[in-house]
Amino acid sequence: ENNSQYGLANFTVLDAMTLKPVSGASIFITTEKDGEATLITDEQGKISQILPVGQWTISVCADGYLVRN
């Protein structure tokens, strides 16, 4: 397996109005190669995940917020 086909992706979810982190936000990722993944942000609104290099489709949702793609 060639590890150069994967990389570490870092995500941070912030409230657009206050710029404060959103903990417990769900990040839904669809990749070209490996299908789908769901990640949940920590108390600082952050999560990291190893993902395949390429294009992704990402949606984020959290209680009390509108979904952004």
Side-chain angles (χ1 to χ4, degrees):
E1 183 175 335
N2 184 352
N3 287 336
S4 67
Q5 295 179 2
Y6 292 84
L8 182 64
N10 299 300
F11 299 94
T12 303
V13 179
L14 302 174
D15 182 298
M17 301 276 294
T18 67
L19 299 181
K20 291 184 178 179
V22 179
S23 65
S26 297
I27 302 174
F28 303 100
I29 302 169
T30 304
T31 68
E32 293 177 319
K33 297 180 187 176
D34 294 344
E36 299 177 348
T38 302
L39 311 175
I40 306 293
T41 60
D42 65 13
E43 58 277 353
Q44 284 91 37
K46 298 182 179 194
I47 186 78
S48 297
Q49 179 71 32
I50 294 174
L51 294 171
V53 173
Q55 292 185 341
W56 315 326
T57 301
I58 300 173
S59 296
V60 178
C61 70
D63 288 343
Y65 292 92
L66 297 174
V67 174
R68 294 298 301 257
N69 295 325

